[in-house]
Amino acid sequence: MLNRLLARTRLRQLQLLVLIADLGSIQRAAEVVGQTQSSATKALSELERMVGLPLFERHARGVRPTLICRDLLPLLRSMLGSLTGCAEMLAAAAEGAQGVLSVGAITGALSGFLGRELAPFLQQHPQLRVEVVEDSHHALLAALAARTLDMVLVREPAVVASGMRFVPLLQDQVVAVAGPSHPLHRKRVVHANQMLEQQWVLAPLSTQMHEAFERLFESCAQLPQHSPLITRSLPMLLEYLRTTNAVALTPLSVVQPFVQAGWLRVLALQFPPTLAAIGLLVPETPEKHGVNLLAEFLAQVAVKSLPAHSH
């Protein structure tokens, strides 16, 4: 089967298969790749004959993937994604780039550190290209382990995997934030019992910010009312706080640029330093030469930087 796939399968056929599954229509998939419906139908039929299995079931409104096709789709998407990455690297090399780095980061690392420091690095190393991916902590660790990312900026893990090293870059803390006109933003000290009357935007259950919210009010007889909005989306939270008198708990690293711009205010509500440092997780022996260049640059900047606790 592998020999048949290598000898007889065209990449356009595999791209078409994924599009048909996503769109539920051979005609719409054909339009996306610039083919006629008849040529797309012929290509799909050739692929089904070659593998000896039906890949789609026809119904009144189009087609749906068979069970075997559903099993193949994640593998095909991964393969096409890798091919896209190869094309991007080749295109960058043709434009004079001497390396392409794939860097993953959590939101706090982007807002609090990388977004500010990446431009100076690229000015010093114009021969490099850097692709930045934002994702959750666990997704980034999985991508780093699979080597689809060259390095990640995440909170310090409890255990650093063998073959990796962690470089601390930024200390962090939990802060209470509100819109620029919130009545409490001028108070020098705000206590938890003063926050009982506020409307809170909560983070989802099982998140660090939700746990911090419960710890904040554990000594009070009740919990404050909360907004109908529950979100981890930074754009959604930012706009909601700016247009209401609601408050929220968030890592300072996430909102620091918006505080500095005057779009949000940090309330003088004190929290213990419960957040792990944000840092760089990178292979001890990276495959690309640009990885060490970026890692050393970020480490040097972190040493020179002032603490990120300033409000």
Side-chain angles (χ1 to χ4, degrees):
M1 179 58 73
L2 177 60
N3 289 334
R4 285 161 62 188
L5 287 171
L6 291 172
R8 297 169 55 186
T9 304
R10 299 190 303 275
L11 291 173
R12 179 67 80 187
Q13 287 176 304
L14 301 181
Q15 181 192 31
L16 190 65
L17 186 152
V18 172
L19 284 170
I20 293 171
D22 289 342
L23 299 174
S25 165
I26 296 176
Q27 179 179 355
R28 291 171 63 193
E31 291 172 355
V32 171
V33 298
Q35 290 184 346
T36 63
Q37 182 175 356
S38 60
S39 64
T41 301
K42 180 181 178 182
L44 177 60
S45 297
E46 290 174 353
L47 190 57
E48 289 181 320
R49 282 197 302 272
M50 192 269 293
V51 300
L53 294 166
L55 297 173
F56 289 91
E57 300 169 348
R58 278 68 175 173
H59 59 87
R61 294 189 298 276
V63 296
R64 67 172 66 92
T66 59
L67 291 178
I68 182 59
C69 184
R70 292 178 191 175
D71 288 342
L72 289 173
L73 285 170
L75 299 173
L76 292 174
R77 289 193 177 99
S78 176
M79 185 191 70
L80 292 172
S82 297
L83 186 64
T84 300
C86 291
E88 290 172 349
M89 288 187 182
L90 290 170
E95 295 173 356
Q98 296 178 12
V100 179
L101 303 181
S102 296
V103 180
I106 59 174
T107 302
L110 289 174
S111 299
F113 190 79
L114 188 63
R116 181 178 67 246
E117 306 300 344
L118 191 55
F121 171 78
L122 291 174
Q123 289 172 359
Q124 291 185 22
H125 302 279
Q127 79 281 9
L128 293 176
R129 302 289 186 272
V130 178
E131 176 192 15
V132 178
V133 177
E134 181 180 3
D135 214 328
S136 68
H137 178 94
H138 295 295
L140 293 173
L141 293 185
L144 181 64
R147 295 300 176 102
T148 57
L149 291 174
D150 299 313
M151 60 173 66
V152 295
L153 281 81
V154 293
R155 297 200 184 277
E156 184 172 10
V159 178
V160 176
S162 176
M164 298 287 172
R165 61 188 176 97
F166 181 81
V167 182
L169 299 175
L170 177 68
Q171 295 301 316
D172 205 0
Q173 68 185 75
V174 180
V175 292
V177 291
S181 60
H182 194 280
L184 291 180
H185 89 268
R186 295 187 184 277
K187 296 275 187 182
R188 292 195 171 188
V189 178
V190 180
H191 299 288
N193 56 6
Q194 293 176 275
M195 302 299 292
L196 286 171
E197 298 178 0
Q198 303 301 313
Q199 186 181 63
W200 287 82
V201 180
L202 299 187
L205 287 170
S206 77
T207 62
Q208 284 186 302
M209 291 305 102
H210 196 100
E211 293 172 2
F213 172 81
E214 293 182 340
R215 284 198 305 272
L216 174 62
F217 295 104
E218 63 186 358
S219 62
C220 301
Q222 63 185 53
L223 289 175
Q225 64 175 355
H226 56 82
S227 160
L229 175 66
I230 300 173
T231 185
R232 293 182 68 174
S233 166
L234 180 57
M236 183 73 255
L237 179 64
L238 175 63
E239 192 60 29
Y240 193 83
L241 293 181
R242 289 178 62 195
T243 55
T244 69
N245 271 336
V247 295
L249 294 185
T250 179
L252 178 59
S253 61
V254 170
V255 295
Q256 196 168 41
F258 308 108
V259 173
Q260 292 171 342
W263 297 352
L264 292 177
R265 301 283 188 180
V266 174
L267 305 183
L269 186 64
Q270 300 302 307
F271 289 88
T274 56
L275 290 178
I278 291 174
L280 183 65
L281 196 60
V282 61
E284 291 180 346
T285 55
E287 296 176 349
K288 299 178 182 177
H289 77 281
V291 172
N292 282 334
L293 290 177
L294 180 54
E296 291 170 5
F297 177 87
L298 295 179
Q300 290 172 4
V301 169
V303 170
K304 297 175 183 177
S305 296
L306 293 173
H309 290 53
S310 173
H311 293 188

